[in-house]
Amino acid sequence: MQSDAEPERPYALAETITPKVRRVLARNPSPFTYTGTQTYLIGDGAEVAVIDPGPAEEEHLAAILDALGEARLVAIACTHTHRDHSPAAAPLSARTGAPIIGCAPLTLEDDGPRADAAFDADYRPSRVLADGESISGEGWTLTAVATPGHTSNHLCFALEETGALFSGDHVMGWSTSVVSPPDGDMSDYLASLARLYERTQDTIYFPAHGPAITKPHQLVRGMLGHRRSRERQILRQIEAGNTTITAMVPVMYKGVDERLWPAAGRSVLAHLIDLERRELVVRRGDAWHVSEEIA
Ligand SMILES: [Zn+2]
C-alpha cells in the first residue's frame, strides 16, 4: 500500500502548492493517515477558507493561524467527521469567529466496530452544504460534491477557478479508502467514484492524506477496476471454502501491513454487503455463500 521512499513530513508549516492553495500538515501520522492530515488553506487575498482543519492539536492550530496572517478566515469546511479531520473546527472557529460550513454531522448511535479513525461526535456545523452548493470568498469558489461511501456524510470540494478537487478520504493516491459498515457503504462508495469519473472538469485532486493526484481520471478508473477485482477475489474465496471474513483477509491481504488487516476486514464486509444487495451472495451467520442461482 505504501511506497518505500520516505515521504516528506513538513509539520507545522504552511506550504504554497498553487497560487490559491496552501497546505499545513498535522503531526498525526499513522497507518491510516500516512504522514498526517493535510489541512488546506484556500485563497491568496483578504478572505481565506480552510478545508479539513484536522486534529485539535495546539501546534497544528497555531500553524494554521500563523498562515492566515492578516487574512480573514471566512469558512471552515470539513469533508467528513472522522477524528483526524474535523475536531480542530471548533477551536479554530472560537479563535477566529469563522463559521463551520460543510459536511453534515453524524448522529449515529453506534458506528460499528472500527479499525480506522472514530467519529467526531462534537462536530457542530453552522451550515450544511448540499451537493452543488457553494461558498465563496475573494478570488475563490468552493462547490460541494456529495461523495458518500467512506462515510455517509463525505463531501469533496471543487475549487471552481482552478479545476482542483479536494478529495478528502474519498480518493487518495497512497492507499485505498477504508469503507467500514454500517456508516461506510460500498455501493455508495462505488457510485461516488463513478460520479467523480464523469466530472471531466477536475484536473488535479488534493487528498487529505498523501501527495496530489495529477492524473485523477486515470486513478479513479484504476480504483473502480481494483474494487471490481476485489469483488471477484471475494467470490473466488467463498468458492474455495474461505466463507468467513477471518478466513479471507489473510489470503487476500497477504504481504500487507498486518495492522491494516482489521480495516481490510471491514472493507471485505462492505463488499459482501454490496454483493448481498445485488443478490450475488447470501449470509448465514458469519459465513457467506454464493447465491444458488449463480453457483
Ligand atoms: Zn476518514
Side-chain angles (χ1 to χ4, degrees), residues 80-85 114 116-117 150-151 154 169 178 209:
H80 64 299
T81 48
H82 275 150
R83 289 202 59 82
D84 52 325
H85 291 258
R114 301 202 69 82
D116 61 337
H150 172 68
T151 60
H154 196 288
D169 281 4
V178 174
H209 310 281

Side-chain angles (χ1 to χ4, degrees), residues 143-263:
T143 301
V145 182
T147 40
H150 172 68
T151 60
S152 60
N153 63 351
H154 196 288
L155 297 179
C156 294
F157 295 101
L159 178 55
E160 301 290 353
E161 289 78 4
T162 69
L165 183 85
F166 296 86
S167 58
D169 281 4
H170 179 54
V171 175
M172 302 183 283
W174 72 284
S175 168
T176 53
S177 291
V178 174
V179 178
S180 184
D183 188 59
D185 186 303
M186 190 60 76
S187 316
D188 286 350
Y189 184 76
L190 294 170
S192 293
L193 273 186
R195 180 155 188 229
L196 287 199
Y197 189 62
E198 283 163 18
R199 286 178 52 93
T200 49
Q201 65 268 55
D202 304 324
T203 52
I204 187 167
Y205 290 177
F206 292 112
H209 310 281
I213 297 153
T214 52
K215 291 186 174 145
H217 290 88
Q218 198 175 314
L219 181 75
V220 170
R221 190 176 56 213
M223 288 173 77
L224 281 163
H226 170 77
R227 295 294 179 172
R228 293 300 172 210
S229 78
R230 278 276 183 245
E231 238 178 62
R232 288 192 296 275
Q233 221 182 346
I234 288 167
L235 292 170
R236 278 201 305 274
Q237 287 291 308
I238 296 174
E239 282 163 352
N242 292 329
T243 59
T244 65
I245 292 170
T246 320
M248 292 178 205
V249 168
V251 183
M252 291 175 58
Y253 292 85
K254 200 172 176 196
V256 170
D257 185 341
E258 288 191 26
R259 289 175 297 175
L260 294 170
W261 282 9

